[in-house]
Amino acid sequence: PVQNMEKIFQDKIDAEVRIEPKDWMPEKYRQTLIRQISQHAHSEIVGMLPEGNWISRAPSLKRKQILIAKVQDEAGHGLYLYSAAETLGISRDEMIEQLHSGKAKYSSIFNYPTLTWADMGVIGWLVDGAAIMNQVPLCRTSYGPYSRAMIRVCKEESFHQRQGFESLVVLSKGSEEQRAMVQDAIDRWWWPSLMMFGPHDSESTNTEASMKWKIKRFGNDELRQRFVDMCTEQVKLLNMTLPDPDLKWNEERQHYDFGKINWEEFWNVVSGNGPCNKQRLDARRKAWEEGGWVREAAKAHAEKRAVRSKR
Ligand code: 3HC
């Protein structure tokens, strides 16, 4: 009976045994993984758009090469994660349809505009920094294909964060205009980066089950706190400030206290009314339509090869 199966399943989770595609799993475990992994993949793919916007305007060949490599990495992360989600029984077309129809979510952070070159450095430092904070624990997530995809992804993410921070160090040693450009970008990206970790655990609908099934290893607030503590030290190296007057070391907690997040803005962006939501989904739908012939050609080629290999 199902109760036994659920007990055997939970014992495996508690014993840190990875769950593989062919193993029995509670339907809710399957569904919540399809939800999280597909939305993670959508985030990677949509995340290519804000940065792609600056490839043709990078200030040097070196910066252009680095940015092209990073955007290509994000595409690869998306494809890994779509493949990991497919092992749970959802098709690629279904996931793409969910993104294009607005049914599926993707990370709110990618609905903000990239206004200056310094945004590229701040995205590397803060957005990829937050992504690493959230994705390192996912290397030990209970679902095998997801954890293996994350191990590869995290290696590339550290390059993303390093290159971003390095470009900010260069700019922060530059002219007054360059320094002002960095501070402006930090001011615009700081709070949206904190929102990447999700709502407070008390408001989080998925955290309890996600922790019981060891999909999530730490709550949203704990990872967000680690991120604030880390960035508050790093920003000093840039001689810049974070736009939060309430940021203050709390000796007793051994963490930084910080200000209130604007959850109205968060839910506004998540529900589709952020600065760039329409632009991002229009771009994805257009890319999908214009790429139709490539998918048809690849299918026709695969069918021809299948016939040839039977001769
Ligand atoms: N943007 C959009 N939706 C968000 C969000 C955000 N920043 N934070 C939370 N949400 C959504 C959740 O998806 C959930 O909605 P759903 O049930 O319809 O999916 C709802 O808000 C409540 O949040 P929960 O905390 O209950 O949801 P989770 O337990 O899924 O936790 C999460 C949210 C921490 C983002 C988790 O899903 C996760 O770890 N996902 C994998 C990592 C990921 O997707 N990171 C996003 C950035 S990817 C990236 O940065 C690429 C890098 O290369 C730049």
Side-chain angles (χ1 to χ4, degrees):
V2 171
Q3 288 81 343
N4 286 0
M5 299 301 280
E6 275 173 355
K7 171 127 178 36
I8 295 167
F9 174 82
Q10 194 58 47
D11 289 350
K12 282 167 79 173
I13 296 286
D14 295 346
E16 298 290 340
V17 173
R18 288 280 177 279
I19 306 300
E20 296 298 334
K22 295 204 178 343
D23 293 346
W24 185 90
M25 60 185 83
E27 195 44 33
K28 278 205 168 35
Y29 177 83
R30 179 189 303 282
Q31 286 314 321
T32 202
L33 276 170
I34 287 176
R35 169 191 68 82
Q36 176 164 333
I37 302 172
S38 63
Q39 292 182 160
H40 193 164
H42 296 328
S43 302
E44 300 282 3
I45 298 300
V46 174
M48 294 166 69
L49 297 168
E51 292 175 304
N53 179 24
W54 279 89
I55 288 175
S56 60
R57 296 183 283 166
S60 70
L61 184 58
K62 171 189 160 195
R63 295 293 175 197
K64 184 194 268 259
Q65 279 175 312
I66 293 174
L67 188 55
I68 288 177
K70 179 178 187 307
V71 173
Q72 277 176 326
D73 280 352
E74 313 293 6
H77 298 172
L79 300 186
Y80 274 142
L81 290 164
Y82 282 132
S83 301
E86 285 170 358
T87 65
L88 289 157
I90 186 168
S91 74
R92 182 70 59 96
D93 284 356
E94 243 175 304
M95 289 187 272
I96 302 294
E97 163 54 28
Q98 288 173 354
L99 173 66
H100 294 173
S101 66
K103 188 166 168 290
K105 294 184 171 72
Y106 58 89
S107 193
S108 50
I109 191 74
F110 298 123
N111 291 308
Y112 291 84
T114 45
L115 304 178
T116 72
W117 171 253
D119 286 38
M120 293 304 104
V122 169
I123 284 178
W125 172 42
L126 294 182
V127 175
D128 289 81
I132 291 174
M133 199 57 86
N134 155 284
Q135 289 171 169
V136 165
L138 285 171
C139 292
R140 295 188 299 117
T141 191
S142 56
Y143 187 57
Y146 194 21
S147 86
R148 290 188 290 272
M150 278 296 103
I151 290 165
R152 171 62 185 275
V153 164
C154 284
K155 288 196 176 76
E156 292 170 344
E157 287 292 0
S158 10
F159 143 65
H160 297 175
Q161 191 203 27
R162 282 271 152 280
Q163 63 81 32
F165 194 72
E166 188 268 336
S167 80
L168 294 180
V169 168
V170 169
L171 284 171
S172 69
K173 295 194 168 82
S175 65
E176 267 324 295
E177 290 84 356
Q178 286 173 314
R179 288 184 48 73
M181 188 169 68
V182 173
Q183 186 60 64
D184 161 63
I186 294 173
D187 293 349
R188 283 185 286 108
W189 289 94
W190 173 245
W191 291 103
S193 299
L194 296 192
M195 296 176 194
M196 285 175 69
F197 293 93
H200 286 307
D201 298 332
S202 50
E203 314 289 311
S204 159
T205 38
N206 299 296
T207 287
E208 193 190 338
S210 202
M211 299 282 275
K212 183 175 129 243
W213 285 330
K214 295 188 183 174
I215 295 170
K216 227 182 213 179
R217 293 281 179 168
F218 303 98
N220 300 353
D221 290 322
E222 182 172 352
L223 291 180
R224 186 176 7 250
Q225 180 65 66
R226 286 193 203 164
F227 179 69
V228 170
D229 293 347
M230 180 181 77
C231 295
T232 310
E233 293 307 320
Q234 289 171 336
V235 74
K236 292 173 189 163
L237 303 173
L238 301 173
N239 288 318
M240 298 281 164
T241 57
L242 293 173
D244 178 0
D246 300 328
L247 204 57
K248 196 160 67 34
W249 180 253
N250 181 319
E251 193 52 30
E252 196 196 320
R253 283 197 328 122
Q254 287 293 303
H255 288 294
Y256 277 93
D257 291 337
F258 56 97
K260 292 241 164 308
I261 291 172
N262 180 340
W263 294 112
E264 194 192 338
E265 176 185 334
F266 171 77
W267 288 114
N268 214 8
V269 176
V270 171
S271 58
N273 309 315
C276 301
N277 296 54
K278 186 174 173 337
Q279 191 182 330
R280 299 291 184 237
L281 282 189
D282 286 351
R284 286 311 314 154
R285 284 189 280 259
K286 185 166 176 284
W288 181 257
E289 274 139 40
E290 289 175 355
W293 68 275
V294 178
R295 292 192 295 278
E296 263 119 63
K299 223 161 111 218
H301 179 61
E303 278 153 10
K304 273 194 200 136
R305 282 186 55 178
V307 165
R308 268 205 301 275
S309 67
K310 284 206 182 76
R311 277 193 204 126

